[in-house]
Amino acid sequence: KNINSSRELLNKIFNNLFLLSLGGLIMVILYAFTVSKSLLKPIIQITDKLSNMNENYLTQIDKNNLPVEFHPLSDSINTLTNKIQTYVKFKKELFIGAAHELKTPLAVMKLKNEVTLMKKREASKYEETLKLSIEQINDMNKMISSILDIGRQEGAQFEKPTELDLVQF
């Protein structure tokens, strides 16, 4: 029996199904790229905003431009930037205060020593000036030790924890 016409019909059906499948695959790939691009847009927006931030330029992330799913993330980032701003502000104030507190005793010591050396004096005056200088130096050492203690405490927060076998310890 001659089945050529049936074979031709089956080939046409196969070719049409193949072309439809190929077209569908291309459409699925285009749709996947479109969806992934739209999903990545807020992440790229947040990443760009964060990469441009530094100690002097900390801004809040506007969550109105982001999808609802990203609002908790933007709230967390905004809270973190607020904490960083507060930390930087207090750190600057600490250094300014410390510099001022260290500079004052130095100025007193320098002035007292210069006045003492302007003319010949009795030994007790030199001794008094040296005792005052030593007292000022001791006060400055206490301030410097306090500043170093603050730095050590701050650094201790970032030390890596170590695992310890309590039974063996």
Side-chain angles (χ1 to χ4, degrees):
K1 198 173 188 184
N2 189 2
I3 57 168
N4 285 340
S5 61
S6 297
R7 185 173 275 182
E8 287 176 17
L9 182 63
L10 286 175
N11 279 337
K12 285 181 182 180
I13 292 173
F14 174 76
N15 288 338
N16 288 336
L17 283 176
F18 180 74
L19 290 176
L20 283 173
S21 298
L22 187 62
L25 179 65
I26 291 172
M27 289 180 65
V28 167
I29 290 173
L30 290 175
Y31 180 74
F33 279 126
T34 306
V35 168
S36 65
K37 190 173 183 179
S38 67
L39 291 175
L40 281 176
K41 186 178 179 183
I43 295 172
I44 291 170
Q45 190 178 13
I46 291 172
T47 302
D48 289 343
K49 187 86 166 177
L50 290 175
S51 65
N52 292 329
M53 285 188 194
N54 61 31
E55 182 179 301
N56 300 318
Y57 180 70
L58 292 170
T59 57
Q60 301 289 309
I61 292 178
D62 184 19
K63 66 182 182 181
N64 295 330
N65 298 338
L66 299 173
V68 177
E69 296 84 13
F70 288 92
H71 287 190
L73 176 63
S74 66
D75 290 339
S76 298
I77 291 171
N78 289 339
T79 302
L80 181 63
T81 55
N82 285 337
K83 287 180 181 179
I84 291 171
Q85 283 176 329
T86 303
Y87 171 77
V88 168
K89 176 183 161 194
F90 286 138
K91 185 177 171 184
K92 285 179 182 178
E93 288 176 8
L94 172 70
F95 285 129
I96 290 169
H100 177 71
E101 292 297 323
L102 291 172
K103 196 169 173 101
T104 302
L106 284 173
V108 170
M109 284 189 300
K110 182 180 179 192
L111 182 64
K112 185 76 172 169
N113 289 336
E114 286 174 348
V115 168
T116 304
L117 291 175
M118 282 184 167
K119 62 179 183 175
K120 292 282 185 192
R121 301 187 189 269
E122 45 198 65
S124 63
K125 291 289 182 186
Y126 290 118
E127 192 175 305
E128 179 185 326
T129 302
L130 288 174
K131 284 182 181 179
L132 180 67
S133 293
I134 290 171
E135 186 179 315
Q136 294 290 323
I137 290 170
N138 287 337
D139 289 344
M140 288 173 47
N141 275 332
K142 287 178 189 174
M143 283 187 263
I144 291 170
S145 293
S146 297
I147 292 170
L148 289 174
D149 287 342
I150 290 170
R152 285 188 196 110
Q153 289 172 355
E154 221 174 77
Q157 294 174 2
F158 300 109
E159 290 179 6
K160 291 182 181 177
T162 56
E163 288 189 27
L164 179 68
D165 183 7
L166 287 176
V167 174
Q168 185 179 9
F169 181 70

